Amino acid sequence: MECIFCKIVNKELPSEIVYEDDEILAFKDINPKAPVHVLIISKKHIGSVNELKKEDKDLIGNLILVAKNMAEKTEINKIGYKLCFNVGKGAGQMVNHLHLHLLGGWTESVPKHNI
Ligand code: 5GP
Ligand code: ZN
């Protein structure tokens, strides 16, 4: 299997896991673009938002709820945070396994384009 995020899900590659359940894994981004940068991913391999099907709607909702809970846990919700899906190469998607970026923890001005 070539997909690095599938390897992280299967614990074949190390990562700093901050949340895990049956369908979702959240771990720290290896190259953070914000003081707090967590990737929330589906354990099932889905390439991107482009491949989502109607039956994935609960999964997507749950990804966002996990992000919200992580924002509370790290207290970045007090100032504010960004949630982002990059979709496709042209938008900067480097890893073709669905992931939601949670970015925050700034103390002063908030960068407008930080991914
Ligand atoms: P994308 O550009 O695809 O939306 O975001 C991919 C993200 O995954 C990047 O922010 C990158 O730093 C992160 N990333 C890439 N490879 C690894 C890895 O092996 N481990 C972790 N923890 N993050 C990774
Ligand atoms: Zn994958």
Side-chain angles (χ1 to χ4, degrees):
M1 194 193 298
E2 289 300 312
C3 174
I4 54 168
F5 284 3
C6 282
K7 285 185 175 162
I8 285 175
V9 167
N10 294 328
K11 317 275 164 66
E12 291 164 27
L13 274 180
S15 68
E16 281 191 72
I17 293 171
V18 292
Y19 176 82
E20 180 166 18
D21 66 25
D22 287 348
E23 63 174 0
I24 290 171
L25 188 73
F27 52 94
K28 293 184 185 175
D29 196 293
I30 205 166
N31 180 19
K33 283 87 181 174
V36 173
H37 189 173
V38 173
L39 300 172
I40 301 111
I41 76 170
S42 113
K43 285 190 170 177
K44 175 173 93 167
H45 182 92
I46 298 172
S48 78
V49 167
N50 281 335
E51 291 179 16
L52 285 177
K53 301 201 173 91
K54 198 165 184 185
E55 59 260 33
D56 297 320
K57 67 179 182 181
D58 281 353
L59 169 65
I60 289 301
N62 290 338
L63 284 178
I64 294 172
L65 286 172
V66 167
K68 179 210 146 193
N69 291 338
M70 294 306 311
E72 279 172 9
K73 202 171 153 189
T74 54
E75 300 192 337
I76 61 173
N77 61 333
K78 290 183 176 167
I79 301 253
Y81 57 93
K82 291 172 188 270
L83 294 178
C84 178
F85 288 103
N86 291 329
V87 187
K89 255 190 204 160
Q93 184 178 4
M94 304 286 286
V95 179
N96 294 318
H97 180 128
L98 186 76
H99 53 280
L100 175 59
H101 292 264
L102 166 66
L103 299 128
W106 307 284
T107 50
E108 293 174 11
S109 65
V110 177
K112 288 216 167 18
H113 302 288
N114 58 303
I115 290 194

